[in-house]
Amino acid sequence: MKKFFAFALAIMAFCIAGAQEAQDAKALYQEAKKLDDAFKKGIPSAMNPNATLTPEAAKGLLQAMDIYEKVMALDTLPDAKGKVKPKYIDKIMKSVMIHATNGDFARAGGVLFNAGNKFPDAYQAFMISGSLAAQNGVVDSVYAIDFYNAGNCAFGVDFAAAHEAYAAARAANIKDPQAYTYDIASLQNLAHQNEAFAPEAKQMINAISKEAVERFGAANDYLFNNYMQHFIDESDFAGALAVIDDALKVDPNHDNFYRLRGLVNFSNKQYEAAMADFVKMAELSDNYGYLREAAGYINDCGKRYLGTLETVSPEQKASILSMYNHALSVAKKASQVPDARPMDDIIEDINYNIENANNL
């Protein structure tokens, strides 16, 4: 009798739980539908041309999606008789697909972005928009913009989320090289925040920058610099020079190509070749940062070259003085370009080195 009573209680509890879950699903669905309908009312139409979509309504759409997800989970549970009889899934999916077709999630993302609700709200909206468009067979380069926008919403706030979005944009054949730039910057920030992640980030940055250069060419300094960094880190000087020479065939007057070749030759202790590259770069550039860097490296070329010599011949002395004088010339040019900052420190050091070299 006690066993039967216990079994009966268990059946009753199961039925009550099933009824509760059904009631929960109904209540949640109605709550989500109110938010969904409020969003639809904010979209201008022939019947309501003056409608305005508010940030609250845009966020309501996202809240509705979160609630719909809970409803669908409850809607797939078996009832008291062990049967699954979904009541809301088809309605929910139909509503979601209509929103996707109408571009409502991207619309919501734009409203939230303009209202300053960039992350996580606008981010979530753009990510949903891109994901649904991908499932619906939309041209990838179209919905890639959704992922790119999502990345921009997260950048500077959550670099992991930003990387996820930019990676999705790249996978969707984004045509904007800025997606690659910001993806690399996201990984660099993540590596800075977590040293353990740095080696993995380094490999990922190399792959992303390589992909970017292959797609867009070497003209983007930031992307090409990151690509070339791998060669320098690995001391693959021959590989680096081959890539740079190919770039120079396309654009023989690009200042950064000579700058990079100078860095490669300097790293490979080819100081005279490095000086020649930095000098050529300085002839082509008015970039203060590049010019200051070049002056410093040419100055170091003289120091490093001198350090390799046990005795100094007249010819070697002339070569060292040539390096220092070229460094001084580049430093003076750097001090005269627009937005230049004081160059007194490096000019003073170069003059000191020239004076010492004259006494060799």
Side-chain angles (χ1 to χ4, degrees):
M1 185 70 175
K2 290 182 179 179
K3 289 184 179 179
F4 176 79
F5 184 68
F7 179 73
L9 285 176
I11 290 294
M12 185 180 297
F14 179 81
C15 291
I16 291 172
Q20 182 63 49
E21 287 163 354
Q23 183 61 34
D24 287 346
K26 180 179 180 181
L28 287 171
Y29 176 75
Q30 290 175 343
E31 179 184 351
K33 194 171 186 310
K34 287 180 182 178
L35 293 168
D36 199 342
D37 289 342
F39 176 86
K40 292 173 183 174
K41 289 178 182 178
I43 299 174
S45 64
M47 297 292 293
N48 190 12
N50 296 321
T52 301
L53 185 61
T54 65
E56 292 74 21
K59 187 169 183 176
L61 177 63
L62 301 181
Q63 293 169 333
M65 294 304 109
D66 289 339
I67 299 171
Y68 279 152
E69 191 173 336
K70 297 174 184 176
V71 173
M72 289 192 291
L74 293 172
D75 212 20
T76 55
L77 293 175
D79 61 17
K81 296 181 180 179
K83 295 182 179 180
V84 177
K85 297 180 180 179
K87 295 181 179 180
Y88 306 106
I89 290 178
D90 286 346
K91 295 178 182 179
I92 290 172
M93 293 309 299
K94 181 179 178 181
S95 177
V96 171
M97 287 302 103
I98 290 174
H99 283 306
T101 301
N102 292 338
D104 287 341
F105 293 103
R107 189 198 307 263
V111 170
L112 290 165
F113 182 92
N114 291 332
N117 302 334
K118 297 179 182 180
F119 188 85
D121 296 335
Y123 174 86
Q124 181 185 356
F126 284 123
M127 289 296 281
I128 292 173
S129 182
S131 298
L132 289 175
Q135 295 172 22
N136 289 340
V138 177
V139 177
D140 55 4
S141 59
V142 172
Y143 67 78
I145 300 299
D146 288 330
F147 291 128
Y148 178 56
N149 288 336
N152 292 344
C153 290
F155 189 81
V157 181
D158 187 323
F159 289 111
H163 165 62
E164 179 183 354
Y166 291 132
R170 292 190 297 102
N173 197 34
I174 186 75
K175 294 181 179 180
D176 192 337
Q178 287 291 83
Y180 291 79
T181 296
Y182 287 124
D183 198 4
I184 291 171
S186 296
L187 290 168
Q188 289 171 336
N189 277 280
L190 288 171
H192 179 73
Q193 294 168 1
N194 179 8
E195 290 184 5
F197 178 64
E200 182 180 353
K202 189 176 179 180
Q203 293 180 347
M204 296 169 71
I205 289 170
N206 176 54
I208 294 168
S209 58
K210 182 175 185 293
E211 179 185 322
V213 171
E214 289 174 347
R215 279 201 69 188
F216 305 110
N220 183 300
D221 288 4
Y222 180 82
L223 295 174
F224 196 46
N225 290 347
N226 275 281
Y227 179 46
M228 294 308 302
Q229 189 62 50
H230 170 76
F231 291 94
I232 295 174
D233 290 343
E234 298 298 319
S235 298
D236 183 4
F237 304 122
L241 292 175
V243 173
I244 295 170
D245 287 344
D246 285 342
L248 282 167
K249 291 175 184 177
V250 177
D251 185 357
N253 293 314
H254 197 293
D255 57 353
N256 190 46
F257 298 163
Y258 293 100
R259 168 185 167 271
L260 287 168
R261 197 166 70 178
L263 291 172
V264 171
N265 281 320
F266 183 87
S267 299
N268 197 27
K269 301 179 181 179
Q270 302 300 306
Y271 301 121
E272 291 183 294
M275 179 195 71
D277 287 325
F278 285 126
V279 168
K280 180 64 176 178
M281 183 279 291
E283 292 175 2
L284 298 170
S285 184
D286 286 322
N287 183 312
Y288 170 79
Y290 284 178
L291 291 169
R292 180 182 176 88
E293 178 189 57
Y297 271 110
I298 299 171
N299 188 34
D300 282 344
C301 283
K303 294 178 184 179
R304 299 287 182 90
Y305 179 49
L306 179 59
T308 66
L309 304 175
E310 293 184 5
T311 59
V312 180
S313 68
E315 293 78 11
Q316 291 167 332
K317 176 180 177 179
S319 181
I320 293 167
L321 280 169
S322 175
M323 291 179 183
Y324 290 145
N325 284 317
H326 277 104
L328 184 61
S329 175
V330 174
K332 288 181 177 179
K333 179 176 180 178
S335 68
Q336 296 170 359
V337 299
D339 300 321
R341 293 181 290 280
M343 293 286 295
D344 296 347
D345 56 338
I346 192 168
I347 290 176
E348 182 179 349
D349 186 61
I350 294 170
N351 283 325
Y352 175 79
N353 292 329
I354 290 174
E355 183 180 346
N356 286 340
N358 280 319
N359 294 327
L360 289 174

